[in-house]
């Protein structure tokens, strides 16, 4: 018996039947003697439909009004879910972000939660009510509605779990949990029972798309026990926690692929101090996120710098570089948006130098060329041709998971 | 230059084009130098669609959750309208009921406005912003969202106009204003330039369906100058105020028809004191609204009592009367739900006894039988057969409006 926060995404509440299913999961948890706070996203495509409506009226609408508009999506799904729970005979109350005390900064469209004032939720829990809270939204100090941006509902759930000192935060989704690789494309992908926050963070950042990294960071910071599981099967999913028990031999917990990368190479840069600083501070000022960076010696007192950015940022990068060409003196720019980043992640990697070599071996065996390499304490990423990406993941996965590990 | 509250109904904001039209009306008013607070209903059929969704999930959903659900409709239309105004280059902010300080009692689904805390609206007006406020909703003292029931957005607009001491409250709708009769069914119906609150109240109650009577009562109480006008034509509509200037000869301002009446006659009631009290207090306890009451002497120490109720209440009335038949001792009950109530309304009527006679003359000329008659200081109502109703209205209208008045 304890306090459990349960989060349900848009697919889990897409229609009346699925809302009834979510209501069943919540009431079963409640009837086992737990206090339950459920955080819901908007139904299925609601948010996209609202964005389309807004675009018809004003493609450059202010973020404040976009937030006021979009926040209705979760209010609808939460009220409907509360009604479904009423029909199952349990006491319940739905609360919007402002009612639930979710206070954010004033950055409309991508607000950060500053504080959760749990008074109202606690009062409802004390009255033995199930509490349904709108995900993805809060209220700023001016009393305006804000939304949290991508992955916002996961973040709402973890923030509420932290503020309420919940025993567990369950993230219900449309997959069974966190896998060693994407089970839709990699044969033999295995469900992980446990994973550390840090590994999950690398996987979230690397495009595993199970949990948004903001929510994992928050869970790590407040030591919130997370579980990722399916709202359709009811089976146990993956626990995300600080330290996990794991067999000594298994150094890699997952393999992720990110097909949204492009590589830019600046060839023949004049070799003078501060050149890298100039380039990357200029890109940072424009809000462009640079991922892998690689610098190599060129010929005749020049050097080359290569880096990757999201495909969506490519045009902005090109224009920033062209505009400032005079201050850089590079020879030419080489752009390749036909690449993908494949990464292995594992907390045990740091003490096992053989892991990276094994990854390269798998790619060599599959005859896949590596364009760039980047490593951190718990991951190794390589850039390969986009059309080789799936085969790369499969061959690496086969190497680490489908046969006995023997290093 | 002054403060104007403008209210737009669901038809006026039904789609993107109409929202743009509403935004144009608002910004034109603003650019003429006025402060503008606009109150909007939900778009077209939104509320009905949300009710349908709720019914699929729980036909007996609590009113609290219904209100949380329905309140999203106005939040959407207001955010979209604010975006349309942004596109026209004016400063604007949309506010929900709770943000706008609309405080109500706790009666979900049919809440009454207790107070409007205008601080936030005033702050936005001081910043030269146009303010868009969700109609139909408020917040109770527990911080829960409430809705105001039928005609709620009119009431919101008038309450805001009263609290802000607005110079004018314009109710934009899909008709040109208040007519001498329903222009869709009565030929020669004329637009009224002015009408008194009391006349408007009688017309609203009598089924003219232009303004909800709660909003007119509120306007009368706080002496809010109302104007009813079309959001499509931009032409001047009808002013609703305390005293109107009117030609001495025109005693009747409008004719209304209510096809939702049924007549019940209790024949052969024992003629003893308190019998009417017993019957009507019993009906009042069940929340049944009785309209016209008529008592006449019967035969042999008995009397007859006839009265009208809304058709929807007929079954409840029958069962109340049958259950209590022992305490009344009536002979038999006669029910006629094939009737309509036709009324003439006019503040000048009280000093002109000839007005009622002229109405009866019109009906006599048209060979229409009168079942019941009821009069007040500013109206005369008659009950006629349902199938004669439209002809009755037309003949009365011809008598008072389409030819020279000569009494």
């Amino acid at each position: 018996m304890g306090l459990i926060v349960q989060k349900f995404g848009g697919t889990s509440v897409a229609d009346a039947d699925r809302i009834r299913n979510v209501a069943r999961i919540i009431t079963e948890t409640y009837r086992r003697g737990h206090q339950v706070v459920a955080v819901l996203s908007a139904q299925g495509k609601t948010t996209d439909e609202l964005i389309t409506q807004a675009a018809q009226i004003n493609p450059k609408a202010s973020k404040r009004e976009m937030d006021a508009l979009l926040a209705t999506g979760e209010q609808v799904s939460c009220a409907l879910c509360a009604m479904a729970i009423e029909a199952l005979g349990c006491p319940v109350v739905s609360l919007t972000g402002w009612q639930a005390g979710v206070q954010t900064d004033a950055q409309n469209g991508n607000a950060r939660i500053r504080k959760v004032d749990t008074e109202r939720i606690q009062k409802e829990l004390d009255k033995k009510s199930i509490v349904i809270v709108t995900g993805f939204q809060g209220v700023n100090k001016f009393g305006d509605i804000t939304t949290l941006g991508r992955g916002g509902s996961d973040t709402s759930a973890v923030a509420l779990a932290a503020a309420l000192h919940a025993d567990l935060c369950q993230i219900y989704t449309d997959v069974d949990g966190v896998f060693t690789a994407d089970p839709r494309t990699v044969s033999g992908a295995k469900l992980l029972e446990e994973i550390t926050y840090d590994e999950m963070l690398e996987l979230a950042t690397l495009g595993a798309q199970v949990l948004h990294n903001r929510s994992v960071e928050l869970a790590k910071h407040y030591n919130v026990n997370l579980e990722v599981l399916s709202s359709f099967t009811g089976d146990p999913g993956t626990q995300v926690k600080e330290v996990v028990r794991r067999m000594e031999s298994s150094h890699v917990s997952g393999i992720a692929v990110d097909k949204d990368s492009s590589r830019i190479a600046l060839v023949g840069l004049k070799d003078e101090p501060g050149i890298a600083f100039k380039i990357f501070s200029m890109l940072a000022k424009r809000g462009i996120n640079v991922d892998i960076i690689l610098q190599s010696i060129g010929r005749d007192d020049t050097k080359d710098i290569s880096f990757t950015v999201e495909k969506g940022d490519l045009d902005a990068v090109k224009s920033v570089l062209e505009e400032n060409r005079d201050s850089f003196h590079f020879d030419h720019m080489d752009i390749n948006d036909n690449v993908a980043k494949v990464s292995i992640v594992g907390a045990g990697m740091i003490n096992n130098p053989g892991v990276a070599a094994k990854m390269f071996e798998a790619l060599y065996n599959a005859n896949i060329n590596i364009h760039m390499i980047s490593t951190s304490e718990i991951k190794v990423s390589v850039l390969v041709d986009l059309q080789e990406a799936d085969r790369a993941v499969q061959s690496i996965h086969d190497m680490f998971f489908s046969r006995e590990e023997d290093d």
Side-chain angles (χ1 to χ4, degrees), chain A:
Chain A
M1 304 232 288
L3 171 54
I4 298 182
V5 173
Q6 301 184 319
K7 181 259 171 179
F8 298 91
T11 318
S12 300
V13 293
D15 57 35
D17 279 342
R18 290 188 177 177
I19 286 177
R20 269 188 286 267
N21 177 53
V22 165
R24 194 184 46 71
I25 293 172
I26 293 169
T27 52
E28 279 173 7
T29 310
Y30 175 83
R31 286 191 167 126
R32 282 198 300 273
H34 299 293
Q35 293 182 307
V36 186
V37 174
V39 176
L40 270 55
S41 301
Q43 291 183 276
K45 299 288 171 205
T46 305
T47 305
D48 290 342
E49 284 166 12
L50 289 171
I51 290 172
T52 305
Q53 268 194 283
Q56 283 170 0
I57 285 181
N58 183 354
K60 293 175 178 171
S62 69
K63 290 186 173 170
R64 181 194 183 278
E65 297 301 336
M66 277 306 290
D67 281 0
L69 181 71
L70 296 183
T72 60
E74 289 79 27
Q75 193 171 327
V76 167
S77 61
C78 286
L80 291 175
C81 183
M83 292 174 186
I85 291 172
E86 288 174 350
L88 295 173
C90 288
V92 63
V93 66
S94 78
L95 300 176
T96 62
W98 58 271
Q99 289 175 320
V102 180
Q103 297 167 9
T104 74
D105 62 20
Q107 203 185 333
N108 282 102
N110 196 25
R112 300 268 153 173
I113 296 176
R114 278 199 192 286
K115 194 193 155 195
V116 181
D117 176 355
T118 59
E119 189 187 345
R120 175 73 196 265
I121 294 179
Q122 202 58 63
K123 211 166 83 182
E124 299 295 343
L125 291 174
D126 292 345
K127 286 195 279 185
K128 309 277 181 228
S129 267
I130 293 167
V131 180
I132 313 291
V133 179
T134 54
F136 180 66
Q137 62 184 260
V139 64
N140 67 22
K141 65 179 174 183
F142 308 109
D144 285 342
I145 295 168
T146 53
T147 70
L148 308 183
R150 267 187 72 190
S153 290
D154 289 349
T155 308
S156 302
V158 174
L160 284 168
L164 292 162
H165 307 290
D167 298 283
L168 180 60
C169 180
Q170 296 182 309
I171 308 289
Y172 282 89
T173 176
D174 52 357
V175 297
D176 290 334
V178 183
F179 284 80
T180 51
D182 187 341
R184 289 169 300 186
T185 56
V186 178
S187 81
K190 291 178 173 61
L191 182 67
L192 291 165
E193 276 183 43
E194 296 183 327
I195 189 169
T196 68
Y197 296 124
D198 288 331
E199 290 172 331
M200 192 66 233
L201 266 178
E202 291 287 2
L203 285 170
T205 312
L206 297 175
Q209 292 179 335
V210 180
L211 275 177
H212 198 266
N213 54 2
R214 280 172 65 187
S215 63
V216 182
E217 279 167 18
L218 205 61
K220 177 176 160 70
H221 187 75
Y222 290 102
N223 206 16
V224 172
N225 284 321
L226 279 182
E227 183 180 6
V228 180
L229 68 175
S230 163
S231 62
F232 301 116
T233 66
D235 295 335
T238 304
Q239 307 281 335
V240 188
K241 43 176 72 165
E242 187 59 41
V243 179
V244 306
R245 291 160 45 100
R246 190 171 289 163
M247 300 304 281
E248 194 56 30
S249 63
S250 121
H251 308 305
V252 173
S253 35
I255 300 165
V257 61
D258 175 7
K259 297 182 177 175
D260 191 32
S261 277
S262 338
R263 191 212 56 182
I264 293 148
L266 296 175
V267 180
L269 278 160
K270 201 172 161 187
D271 192 7
E272 57 186 20
I275 189 90
F277 162 72
K278 273 189 202 165
I279 294 171
F280 295 109
S281 67
M282 204 165 283
L283 294 172
K285 265 180 215 155
R286 295 284 186 99
I288 296 164
N289 236 342
V290 175
D291 186 15
I292 305 178
I293 298 174
L294 198 133
Q295 179 177 314
S296 60
I297 307 293
R299 287 169 296 182
D300 309 328
D301 289 340
T302 65
K303 58 186 175 187
D304 307 338
I305 290 185
S306 311
F307 55 91
T308 62
V309 296
E310 287 183 14
K311 285 198 170 71
D313 283 336
L314 200 51
D315 287 341
V317 171
K318 276 193 272 189
S319 63
V320 170
L321 293 176
E322 289 293 355
E323 281 163 26
N324 296 280
R325 185 151 189 168
D326 288 347
S327 60
F328 298 155
H329 315 288
F330 58 87
D331 206 50
H332 68 274
M333 199 192 305
D334 182 63
I335 289 170
N336 186 354
D337 62 358
N338 192 34
V339 289
K341 185 175 62 169
V342 175
S343 308
I344 58 174
V345 171
M349 208 179 278
I350 185 165
N351 298 316
N352 291 273
V355 173
K358 206 161 138 185
M359 181 192 196
F360 304 151
E361 183 192 347
L363 293 170
Y364 171 76
N365 289 343
N367 199 26
I368 293 168
N369 197 27
I370 299 173
H371 297 301
M372 287 171 92
I373 298 170
S374 159
T375 60
S376 81
E377 293 193 340
I378 65 165
K379 74 156 188 189
V380 180
S381 299
V382 298
L383 210 64
V384 299
D385 282 345
L386 187 58
Q387 61 271 27
E388 307 276 32
D390 292 340
R391 214 160 54 80
V393 174
Q394 186 69 60
S395 64
I396 298 167
H397 194 271
D398 288 347
M399 179 69 92
F400 284 101
F401 296 105
S402 296
R403 53 178 217 197
E404 268 315 292
E405 294 194 41
D406 54 5
D407 61 346

